[in-house]
Amino acid sequence: MKCKTSETAFLILAGFVLLAIVGCSKRSASSAVAPADTSAHAKAHVSRLQCIQKGIASWYGKHMKGRETASGEKYDPKLLTAASRKFAIGTELNVINLKNGRNVIVTVNDRGPYFGNRVIDLSAAAAEELGMKKAGITPVCVQDGEQGEHRQE
C-alpha cells in the first residue's frame, strides 16, 4: 500500500510541475510579443492608405557605408535613402510602418533587396525614423512620395 501511495503522490506532483511549466511558458511567450499600436489615430491612418506596394521592409546598416549604390553615389546610413527593385532610381517614396503608423520619405538610390520576400531596404536613418531599427524588419505600405503628408509625430 505504501508503494502505491508514493507512486500516486509522485504522479500528482509531476502533474503540478507540468502545469506550472506550461503556464509559465505561455506567459513568457505572450509577454515577449510587443503590443501593437492600438491608438485610434494610427488605426484611422492605416485604414486610409493607398499603397503602391505592401510587404516587408528591412534596413541595411553601417557595414555598407561608403559602398557605391546603383545610382553611383556612396551609401550614407545617415541619409533617407532606400533600395528597391520596383521603383526607378531617384524616385521619392513615402514608406509607412504598418505596426506603428510612422512614416518617412526616402529617395531610391540602389537596387534590392535580394533577401526573402522583402519589398524595400531602407537606410539606417530611415529605419530609425520608422521605429523599426531594433526589430530589423517590419510590414510597410509604400506610397508615391507626394502622399507623405500623413506623417505621424
Side-chain angles (χ1 to χ4, degrees), residues 3-112:
C3 190
K4 266 264 199 233
T5 306
S6 296
E7 287 177 29
T8 304
F10 175 76
L11 289 174
I12 290 172
L13 180 61
F16 281 123
V17 169
L18 183 60
L19 285 173
I21 291 171
V22 169
C24 289
S25 67
K26 284 184 181 177
R27 213 173 305 126
S28 65
S30 64
S31 65
V33 175
D37 184 354
T38 57
S39 71
H41 182 319
K43 284 182 180 177
H45 171 74
V46 171
S47 68
R48 296 192 303 265
L49 296 179
Q50 294 182 355
C51 304
I52 299 170
Q53 192 175 32
K54 264 187 176 178
I56 300 296
S58 55
W59 66 277
Y60 50 109
K62 295 180 181 176
H63 70 282
M64 298 292 290
K65 184 178 181 179
R67 292 191 184 180
E68 190 172 316
T69 64
S71 68
E73 64 188 70
K74 304 273 186 207
Y75 170 67
D76 184 345
K78 296 178 184 174
L79 299 178
L80 299 176
T81 59
S84 172
R85 293 184 309 271
K86 180 175 180 169
F87 301 101
I89 300 292
T91 303
E92 284 194 348
L93 299 171
N94 182 39
V95 181
I96 302 161
N97 182 336
L98 294 176
K99 284 189 171 183
N100 63 18
R102 291 172 65 177
N103 77 303
V104 65
I105 305 260
V106 296
T107 303
V108 175
N109 72 341
D110 205 3
R111 290 288 165 231

Side-chain angles (χ1 to χ4, degrees), residues 117-132:
N117 302 359
R118 297 178 187 166
V119 297
I120 196 164
D121 262 342
L122 302 167
S123 65
E128 187 72 41
E129 288 282 321
L130 289 180
M132 63 166 282

